[in-house]
Amino acid sequence: MQRFKALLPRTRFSSPSLFSNSRAFSAQPGYAERNDDDEDSQNQILVEGRAKSRTAILNRPSSLNALTTSMVARLKRLYDSWEENSDIGFVLMKGRGSAFCSGSDVVNLYHSLNEGKAEEAKEFFRTLYSFVYLQGTYLKPHVSILNGRTMGCGSGISLPGMFRVVTDKTIFSHPEAQIGFHPDAGASYLLSRLPGYLGEYLALTGDKLNGVEMIACRLATHYSLNARLAWLEERLGKLVTDDPSIVEASLSQYADLVYPERNGILHKIDTIDRCFSHDTVEEIVEALEKEAADSLDQWCLTTLRKLKEASPLSLKVILQSIREGRFETLDQCLVREYRVSVRAISKQVSSDFTEGVRARMVDKDFAPKWDPPSLKDVSEDMVDHYFSPFGEFEPELVLPTALREPYM
């Protein structure tokens, strides 16, 4: 079978120097499972053991594998124990059903917030971002199989790993602006490192990428047809190794040559750069309106419609978050994103998050009443509040950077 050929130079989000692991742990493969008292999380995160590998399987197919606190906590316990276990050479993650992971279970968060349980929502974000950091600094080779929808924080729990396999079923997106939130779980780190201003475009509009496009912009490392996944997984299951190059060779054996479609979004990259390189959302909208008038391109009108449907406050917060992410390490991005997430659920400035979830996912009237209602009503002070450090009564997110070295 033909070896995969990337359209752009492949990049890894993990440092190869981190893959050497001299530590050992006495746990047997079932260690983490036996110490997990949460029956729901055990059913929703399944484990498949092979001779030298372990696979974590997201198992909420009816909810498109949306993540809850207990699911992420179980993932973190499993990954911690697998990293310490010298009998395990590498780790995989995949989803069951039509999605890899549709992101956070925002409907569950919505109900928690309406019941006055904001601390439960904060615990979810702390647990999630801690796992993303673990994933981004993991000491062993990691393979994520992104077959199906990969939305929101579904990218955060997978893309920081060493190998990211996409298929003809993969759909990647960050639609958070449409529900009054922001791309989190390391998204401001990942999206800000895409070519040109593609990250700003994806974050502000929520537009989708397919698997081929993810390869082309280096979000993914390998492409395999969905029909071949069973063979690829069987091959990986037979490996007895902790050598990343051997894992990579096996992935490449079942990978395919891919080329972006001529009508795909990546062929709009020059227009995206012209419009989304501006300093403010208002200037981006103005540039798109000028582009639409000059070119009569339907894509410009569609993009403008997506921006006008989104929360105005979220758009401004998102743009600043992506711009700051360009110059920060993964841990710094996660700490900042935690501040923004806590401010979003606190309702001190706006209730756009709960209103957006209500309109699009609960009542489904698709008519959110954003507050502030327009870009001109969003002040700099409002945006700055989302990014400002917490006071003495609200703890910051603390990550183990002294034990696990962050990277750029």
Side-chain angles (χ1 to χ4, degrees):
M1 296 184 187
Q2 225 164 5
R3 179 179 172 83
F4 158 75
K5 179 181 178 183
L7 298 175
L8 293 174
R10 187 167 66 230
T11 182
R12 289 176 179 171
F13 291 103
S14 298
S15 170
S17 64
L18 294 175
F19 299 139
S20 59
N21 179 16
S22 59
R23 293 181 294 172
F25 191 57
S26 60
Q28 296 301 311
Y31 165 80
E33 292 90 329
R34 288 197 304 271
N35 283 271
D36 191 341
D37 295 327
D38 189 332
E39 184 176 347
D40 285 341
S41 70
Q42 284 198 18
N43 293 333
Q44 294 168 359
I45 302 291
L46 304 178
V47 174
E48 183 177 271
R50 295 296 183 97
K52 195 67 175 179
S53 66
R54 296 291 182 273
T55 300
I57 305 171
L58 309 182
N59 187 40
R60 290 186 75 202
S62 62
S63 300
L64 301 178
N65 296 323
L67 297 173
T68 64
T69 304
S70 62
M71 290 172 69
V72 182
R74 175 163 163 80
L75 281 171
K76 188 173 185 306
R77 289 193 296 273
L78 289 168
Y79 273 61
D80 279 334
S81 70
W82 292 342
E83 187 178 61
E84 295 284 358
N85 191 338
S86 60
D87 292 332
I88 298 174
F90 65 101
V91 175
L92 300 91
M93 183 188 294
K94 65 180 182 178
R96 177 162 289 178
S98 63
F100 167 70
C101 177
S102 62
S104 308
D105 189 337
V106 293
V107 174
N108 184 55
L109 291 174
Y110 166 85
H111 289 303
S112 293
L113 293 172
N114 283 346
E115 293 167 5
K117 300 176 182 177
E119 290 304 318
E120 289 186 6
K122 293 176 188 178
E123 177 62 22
F124 170 75
F125 292 123
R126 282 194 298 269
T127 306
L128 173 63
Y129 299 173
S130 295
F131 178 69
V132 172
Y133 188 68
L134 173 65
Q135 177 75 284
T137 57
Y138 209 58
L139 299 180
K140 294 182 177 180
H142 185 272
V143 180
S144 298
I145 300 176
L146 311 177
N147 189 37
R149 297 189 199 182
T150 303
M151 301 168 63
C153 69
S155 66
I157 65 169
S158 57
L159 297 185
M162 189 181 215
F163 302 115
R164 291 89 64 194
V165 180
V166 291
T167 76
D168 49 316
K169 301 292 186 181
T170 303
I171 301 172
F172 169 89
S173 66
H174 273 283
E176 288 90 346
Q178 301 293 319
I179 59 168
F181 201 57
H182 68 113
D184 66 331
S188 65
Y189 179 88
L190 296 165
L191 294 177
S192 66
R193 282 157 176 77
L194 295 183
Y197 293 88
L198 180 62
E200 281 89 338
Y201 168 76
L202 294 173
L204 292 171
T205 66
D207 202 5
K208 303 176 179 66
L209 296 180
N210 60 33
V212 175
E213 292 164 337
M214 290 181 70
I215 287 288
C217 66
R218 297 174 294 184
L219 280 170
T221 59
H222 296 79
Y223 182 97
S224 176
L225 293 173
N226 174 64
R228 293 181 181 171
L229 273 186
W231 298 341
L232 183 148
E233 291 183 45
E234 182 180 1
R235 171 62 179 156
L236 292 175
K238 293 178 179 178
L239 294 182
V240 182
T241 186
D242 60 2
D243 186 340
S245 66
I246 295 177
V247 176
E248 200 278 336
S250 294
L251 292 171
S252 296
Q253 182 181 358
Y254 289 93
D256 297 277
L257 287 165
V258 290
Y259 301 93
E261 297 176 0
R262 296 190 64 83
N263 61 348
I265 188 58
L266 297 186
H267 289 281
K268 295 285 188 184
I269 194 67
D270 291 338
T271 306
I272 288 173
D273 286 352
R274 280 197 302 273
C275 295
F276 285 82
S277 59
H278 293 283
D279 292 335
T280 67
V281 179
E282 289 91 340
E283 289 172 327
I284 290 172
V285 170
E286 183 179 347
L288 282 166
E289 290 173 340
K290 182 178 185 303
E291 191 79 30
D294 293 344
S295 67
L296 303 178
D297 190 340
Q298 182 61 39
W299 173 85
C300 295
L301 297 176
T302 301
T303 301
L304 282 167
R305 176 180 56 78
K306 290 176 181 177
L307 292 176
K308 290 175 181 178
E309 289 175 350
S311 157
L313 176 58
S314 286
L315 290 176
K316 291 197 173 186
V317 169
I318 288 168
L319 183 61
Q320 181 167 327
S321 182
I322 299 296
R323 294 286 162 84
E324 291 189 11
R326 288 177 180 267
F327 306 101
E328 295 178 335
T329 56
L330 176 62
D331 61 295
Q332 291 169 335
C333 286
L334 289 168
V335 169
R336 172 176 40 74
E337 289 171 1
Y338 180 72
R339 290 174 184 162
V340 174
S341 295
V342 170
R343 277 359 187 309
I345 65 174
S346 71
K347 305 182 182 181
Q348 292 176 348
V349 172
S350 173
S351 299
D352 275 4
F353 174 55
T354 50
E355 172 60 11
V357 175
R358 179 207 64 77
R360 298 192 180 276
M361 305 187 74
V362 179
D363 296 340
K364 298 184 181 180
D365 57 28
F366 300 98
K369 297 177 175 59
W370 302 126
D371 181 25
S374 66
L375 290 172
K376 63 181 176 60
D377 296 315
V378 180
S379 69
E380 288 186 15
D381 287 343
M382 290 177 181
V383 177
D384 289 344
H385 176 72
Y386 278 73
F387 294 87
S388 60
F390 294 133
E392 61 178 314
F393 299 112
E394 184 70 62
E396 300 278 0
L397 177 68
V398 178
L399 298 169
T401 54
L403 300 175
R404 312 184 69 91
E405 184 178 357
Y407 55 88
M408 280 298 289

